Amino acid sequence: METDRLSDREWTVLDALWALPEGGTLGELTDALFPRTGWSRNTVLTYLTRMEAKGLVAIRREAAPRRYQAALSREDWAAGERRSLLRRAYQGSAGKLVAAFLREEAITPQERDELRRLLDEMEV
C-alpha cells in the first residue's frame, strides 16, 4: 500500500482515531482533539470529511451517531512511510538507511545486541 504524506493535522486526527479502536463519534473526537488543537466540532468534521475523500478515514453511516475510524492501521501507515523513505532517500537500500541512522544516532548496547540478533537471523 502506497501512502501519501500526511499533513501534521491529518496525523493529529489519525492519532486520535487510532487511540479509539472501535472508532469514535464526532463528539468523542472533538473532545479528544480539543486539548491539543482547540478545534471546534465543525473543524473536526471538515477534516474527517476531507480525509474520507482521501481514503484515510472510514465513516460508518449506519451507526447513530455516525462513527469515524482510521481507514488504515498505524502499522500499515508506518510500513508505507518506511517503504517510501527507503525508496526516495536511500535508493531502496535498507543497508544505507540503517547505516545513516547509526552514524547519526547513538544506540544502547541492548539495541546493538538486538540489531546483531536480527541480522544473524536474516543470515546477512
Side-chain angles (χ1 to χ4, degrees):
M1 166 191 276
E2 185 65 29
T3 59
D4 291 330
R5 304 238 355 124
L6 296 177
S7 71
D8 288 343
R9 291 177 177 177
E10 289 170 336
W11 171 258
T12 300
V13 172
L14 284 177
D15 195 42
L17 288 167
W18 287 324
L20 301 167
E22 298 299 316
T25 65
L26 179 57
E28 290 167 341
L29 288 167
T30 300
D31 290 345
L33 289 165
F34 187 81
R36 289 190 272 178
T37 64
W39 293 343
S40 71
R41 184 178 178 93
N42 286 339
T43 300
V44 173
L45 181 59
T46 298
Y47 277 111
L48 291 168
T49 303
R50 288 179 184 169
M51 291 172 70
E52 180 196 27
K54 291 174 134 184
L56 298 170
V57 169
I59 302 174
R60 292 185 12 222
R61 290 179 168 81
E62 74 283 354
R66 291 180 178 174
R67 296 198 71 78
Y68 301 84
Q69 292 180 288
L72 67 166
S73 71
R74 183 186 298 267
E75 294 78 19
D76 287 344
W77 176 83
E81 285 292 295
R82 284 190 304 271
R83 285 189 301 272
S84 177
L85 175 66
L86 188 66
R87 187 182 63 255
R88 288 181 292 118
Y90 296 97
Q91 300 82 42
S93 170
K96 287 180 183 179
L97 171 72
V98 171
F101 276 114
L102 293 175
R103 278 193 292 274
E104 295 172 8
E105 298 293 328
I107 62 173
T108 67
Q110 295 83 8
E111 290 170 325
R112 186 176 52 244
D113 291 343
E114 177 68 10
L115 183 57
R116 281 190 179 126
R117 186 187 65 72
L118 288 170
L119 290 171
D120 288 344
E121 286 176 7
M122 296 171 61
E123 298 182 27
V124 174

